[in-house]
Amino acid sequence: MENKKVNLRFGIICAVILLAAASRLIPHPAGFAPIAGMALFGAAYYSRRYWAYILPIAAMMLSDFVLNTWVYRAYMDGQMFWFLYTYGALALIVLMGTFTLKKVRVLHVAGSAVGASVIFFLVTNFGTWISSGMYPHTPEGLATCFAAALPFFRNGLAGDLLYTGVLFGAFEGLMYAFPSLKLQKAA
């Protein structure tokens, strides 16, 4: 019986992450996405840490495949290394979440969402600066890159806070309604 509870919990966590990744396919403002929410959610709720890395990154890859094949195809030429920085940022967000979300509390979740926004902004824009050729490889070029990305940060922060709140709130609500979804502490 305990194994069925764990499998149900695991399945629901996976479904929530996959649904969040699928929401990237719906038109939305630039930078307003569930990426950090998925990573933090996995970090907080998977009992085996490796799933916290595998599932959000795999879901992101799947949604990226769809988006980059059919939506952004014309923009992807010459953008070979963007994914290293994006998925690297996602992994760093999971890592941060494993430390900051040992106990799921509103302030921990909100603070982690803000931290995730900063990590994603810094890593992905550093990646743009270093690999795209759009900016000179000087401190001024890096500053220009970060300045040009600030409007996306605002949307990213708003998306991270909203999606993180929705994902955590929905799952906490499910655990309240169905206590069998809670992990049982070992005696």
Side-chain angles (χ1 to χ4, degrees), residues 111-174:
S112 295
V114 171
S117 294
V118 171
I119 288 170
F120 195 82
F121 177 84
L122 293 174
V123 171
T124 57
N125 288 298
F126 178 81
T128 297
W129 171 71
I130 201 77
S131 66
S132 73
M134 292 173 59
Y135 303 96
H137 293 152
T138 63
E140 294 80 18
L142 180 59
T144 301
C145 178
F146 283 142
L150 281 175
F152 298 100
F153 178 73
R154 185 174 38 248
N155 284 350
L157 178 60
D160 292 343
L161 289 168
L162 177 75
Y163 276 106
T164 301
V166 167
L167 296 177
F168 279 79
F171 193 68
E172 288 291 323
L174 279 172

Side-chain angles (χ1 to χ4, degrees), residues 61-114:
M61 286 178 159
L62 183 60
S63 62
D64 275 345
F65 174 76
V66 171
L67 288 169
N68 295 332
T69 301
W70 288 286
V71 179
Y72 301 127
R73 186 177 198 170
Y75 303 105
M76 295 313 296
D77 291 338
Q79 299 294 321
M80 292 177 50
F81 298 108
W82 65 269
F83 66 91
L84 294 175
Y85 300 102
T86 301
Y87 300 143
L90 196 60
L92 287 173
I93 292 167
V94 171
L95 179 64
M96 177 197 65
T98 62
F99 293 105
T100 61
L101 297 171
K102 288 183 182 190
K103 289 190 178 205
V104 175
R105 303 283 187 264
V106 172
L107 286 178
H108 295 175
V109 173
S112 295
V114 171

Side-chain angles (χ1 to χ4, degrees), residues 26-42:
I26 300 168
H28 57 274
F32 193 91
I35 297 167
M38 294 172 3
L40 293 171
F41 184 78

